Amino acid sequence: MTILEAVLLRSYERRAVNVRTADIQNQCTILCNRLGDLSYQQGGSSEIIRAELAQLSNIYNGRVMIISSEFRIVEDTYGMDTGKTIVSRDVIRCFKGNGTSYYDAGNRYIEVTAPIVGNVSGETEGVMLVSVSTDTIVDSLAVLEGRAGTIEIVVGLIMIIVAVLIGMATVRPFRRITDSIEAVTEGYEDNYLHENAYLETMLLSDSFNKMLGRLKVLDKSRQEFVSNVSHELKTPLTSMKVLADSLLAQKDAPVELYQEFMGDLSEEIEREDKIINDLLSLVKMDKTANTMNIRVENINALVERILKRVRPIAAQQNIEVVFESFRPVSAEVDEMKLSLALTNLVENAIKYNHENGWVHVSLNADHKSFYIEVADSGIGISQEEIEHIFERFYRVDKSHSKEIGGTGLGLSIARSAIVMHRGSVKVYSQPGEGTTFTVRIPLLYVSQEGAK
């Protein structure tokens, strides 16, 4: 608005000056023609002409001078410089037949020159010089500027009020989104957020709904985990209590019965210890996710050590464990976490296998990653169950879980360790046709900060 005001006032000033200059030039032309007829500068003056000059001076609040061809002032409506000589650029140009006009904005006046051409000689015999004040134009500009300032204030206030109202209407959807986010701390509601006022709120609503959905899944997973942990820990305790109560109820029980019951108690205690150790492994892995003990390891030797530890377990079911290495592989890994992951995969392949079956472990690599494949001839996994096998406490064969043993945490631990290495694990299986786990891990470890 300030720029527009300056442009408009400047345009008005130019227009007013041009109109005033054109009026003065027209009056000068008329008077110069009459003066040329009367040879006024040669002394052929008349009171009528003097009166017209004075009238021109009064009308435009200016000064009129008649200059002869000798540059001598022969007439001055102010009566101050009559008989004096005046030489200026505009006067000289006018004597050459070109009238001039000049506007001095600083001193606030317009100066116009017009040639007086004699009708007989046809030559320029004198010059009429008119200086007119522009105070009226300046006063008009001041009035317009004051009114423009008032309009600016009024329009500014209106714009502020409108902006506040629009702003309030604009942020209202965001306020509702904020309220919904704050409400998450009090619990998860079933209703999702639907703010479709404009594109930004739609994007925020979609992001919020996705986040809320993930939070609900995590909350459900947490509840299921707590429930499973309670169940898994309570089951051995219940068995131990039943065994202990049975022994206490039989005062004269034979030694053989005591030994049998104590053996069962030992198995339940061992099972409880296994569950607690696996839970501690998970917790420790979560806490040390950002403190990986990365070193360059010989992966071939690492796999050989793992298979050496599990071969006695496989021998109990007459399961053949075969290791095939395609090339020497060295990589940056956390030896403890990777060993835990691979041990769980191989132990699962043995536990869920048939007697006289086989487990095949292979190692290969390319220029970016190394690949470990654990295949078995076991019971296999259905497609519906593959989606859940990495969930904590999930077991594929629930009917024989007690005989097979384990806690249902092995694959969850394995996956966590592999993901911490920025790797991935894939499963291929069919019921009754065995299972194949393929692990891919980068040769060079990239930390989370380095990835960012």
Side-chain angles (χ1 to χ4, degrees), residues 172-183:
R172 193 173 294 120
F174 292 98
R175 201 167 290 146
R176 289 195 291 267
I177 293 174
T178 303
D179 294 340
S180 299
I181 294 174
E182 290 177 352

Side-chain angles (χ1 to χ4, degrees), residues 204-222:
L204 281 174
S205 296
D206 291 341
S207 299
F208 175 79
N209 291 336
K210 290 177 182 178
M211 180 194 69
L212 187 59
R214 286 194 291 269
L215 288 175
K216 289 181 177 180
V217 171
L218 288 174
D219 188 57
K220 183 179 178 182
S221 175
R222 178 186 60 83

Side-chain angles (χ1 to χ4, degrees), residues 193-199 201-202 205-206:
L193 188 60
H194 299 287
E195 289 294 340
N196 301 323
Y198 29 86
L199 179 61
T201 57
M202 290 175 62
S205 296
D206 291 341

